[in-house]
Amino acid sequence: MRWKLRLNATVIPGIHDNVSIKPELKYKEVLRVMRQIDDRIVHELNTTIPTASFTRKVNAAETCKHLYDSLLESHASRDGAIKKCIAESSAVVNLLREERQKDSDDMTVLKQLRKEQTKLKLLQTELNVEEVINDRSWKIFNERCRIHYKPPPKK
């Protein structure tokens, strides 16, 4: 499943690493769209993994493998996107700090610096949120799919 979202003429793909979120605070909407697989995991498992009486009608191992691959791809994509935005914001904060050191009386630079620092903190918080979401998704996945599919060992 691949998503594309347009924000102020900036294409933000949900799966690729070339995510750049320029409009302030629009990244929340992008992450919401990218997190749909995690939000719908219980429904997905309930509708695709059969109960004991219907196990012969559906290939649960294949369904679990597909879901596993989708979760891995989605989690890696979001993690990369958030980290890229953090790197971009950190670079801007560093530039603004240098400008502020050159002219400590410039209030516009100070306001921009505070605004960008706030944005950076919000992005860093998103990494913690991402960890909680990922843990929840893997817990649910393991509860429902451990009988049908054993994921390969992590590298």
Side-chain angles (χ1 to χ4, degrees), residues 1 3 26 59-60 67 69 73 76 80 93 103 107 109 120 133 137 144 148-149 154:
M1 191 179 305
W3 297 291
K26 297 283 186 178
N59 185 348
L67 182 59
D69 292 340
E73 186 178 3
V93 166
D103 185 11
M107 293 306 291
V109 171
L120 179 59
I133 290 170
S137 294
R144 293 295 304 274
H148 308 291
Y149 176 74
K154 293 185 179 181

Side-chain angles (χ1 to χ4, degrees), residues 3 64 85 93 96 138:
W3 297 291
C64 286
C85 290
V93 166
L96 289 170
W138 288 122

Side-chain angles (χ1 to χ4, degrees), residues 4-61:
K4 283 194 177 179
L5 182 64
R6 282 199 169 273
L7 293 176
N8 294 349
T10 303
V11 176
I12 302 176
I15 302 301
H16 305 289
D17 289 334
N18 58 350
V19 174
S20 180
I21 302 173
K22 295 296 181 192
E24 265 50 348
L25 302 178
K26 297 283 186 178
Y27 69 90
K28 287 276 196 187
E29 178 64 21
V30 173
L31 288 174
R32 186 188 65 74
V33 170
M34 293 174 77
R35 288 176 175 152
Q36 285 179 346
I37 188 171
D38 293 276
D39 293 341
R40 297 178 180 160
I41 189 169
V42 173
H43 174 73
E44 182 74 21
L45 286 169
N46 285 340
T47 58
T48 58
I49 304 299
T51 58
S53 60
F54 294 102
T55 54
R56 290 188 174 95
K57 295 180 181 179
V58 175
N59 185 348

